[in-house]
Amino acid sequence: PLSFKRLIASIRENRSFILGSLRDELPWDPTLPRPLISPARLETLTRLLDADDLRFKRLWPSLEFVCSWKTAICAAHLAEIAAHLEGVDVIDAIYSATEGWITVPVVEAGGGVVHPGAHIVEFLEVGSDVEKGRLLPPWGLKPGRRYEVFVTTAMGLVRYRLCDVVTCTGFFNRAPVIEFAHK
């Protein structure tokens, strides 16, 4: 969501430059192609920018969705810019780490479905003793509970502890849907 907030701020700060460039009123870098814009589209953008109406669906009418983290601190940022996202679906971003991608986004729910073929992903319920080795397979998760994530990858990581905590929010078919909760 911070990227969206920065985009909104940048449009506001650079309104004159944006419209001047689209109207062909400013010097143009000859190494870049000139934007092609119809008079009707230019009139629409001018009206929206003059009114500070930066709702994404009005600026980009064909925009159907954006992908963004929706949980933890990001939920508060999304709430701040909700008016700008009116009419646009917000799909929860893929939960991933340097060690690998863990989920596939789902439009119908927050979080994402644990990817069934990317890696071997196991979970330890928060508060359980890792020394006892009670790692759970994805189908062993319970909605509403929190878990730490462990991955085994084709690149050699074996039961690597990510030190991330996720919440199981339900199931999509028989695969668990998880949301990032915190580090």
Side-chain angles (χ1 to χ4, degrees), residues 29-108:
D29 182 341
T31 63
L32 298 173
R34 289 197 172 275
L36 299 175
I37 186 167
S38 72
R41 178 75 175 133
L42 181 57
E43 180 183 326
T44 298
L45 289 175
T46 300
R47 182 176 37 80
L48 293 172
L49 293 179
D50 283 345
D52 196 36
D53 185 354
L54 303 182
R55 286 178 276 185
F56 288 14
K57 189 68 173 178
R58 291 187 178 186
L59 291 169
W60 300 284
S62 63
L63 182 66
E64 295 294 324
F65 69 92
V66 294
C67 194
S68 172
W69 289 310
K70 295 171 62 172
T71 58
I73 189 67
C74 295
H77 292 296
L78 279 175
E80 289 178 33
I81 61 168
H84 298 283
L85 296 171
E86 174 186 304
V88 178
D89 287 332
V90 179
I91 298 172
D92 208 357
I94 294 167
Y95 166 53
S96 63
T98 304
E99 297 80 12
W101 290 38
I102 310 299
T103 65
V104 177
V106 183
V107 176
E108 295 85 17

Side-chain angles (χ1 to χ4, degrees), residues 93-161:
I94 294 167
Y95 166 53
S96 63
T98 304
E99 297 80 12
W101 290 38
I102 310 299
T103 65
V104 177
V106 183
V107 176
E108 295 85 17
V113 177
V114 174
H115 191 301
H119 307 290
I120 297 171
V121 184
E122 296 174 290
F123 301 88
L124 177 70
E125 189 168 358
V126 170
S128 297
D129 185 3
V130 72
E131 300 303 321
K132 294 184 180 174
R134 298 277 307 150
L135 296 182
L136 300 169
W139 55 88
L141 302 186
K142 304 276 189 250
R145 294 191 183 165
R146 290 192 170 196
Y147 300 91
E148 283 195 62
V149 182
F150 292 74
V151 295
T152 298
T153 70
M155 297 304 294
L157 295 177
V158 177
R159 289 191 162 176
Y160 182 81
R161 188 178 201 168

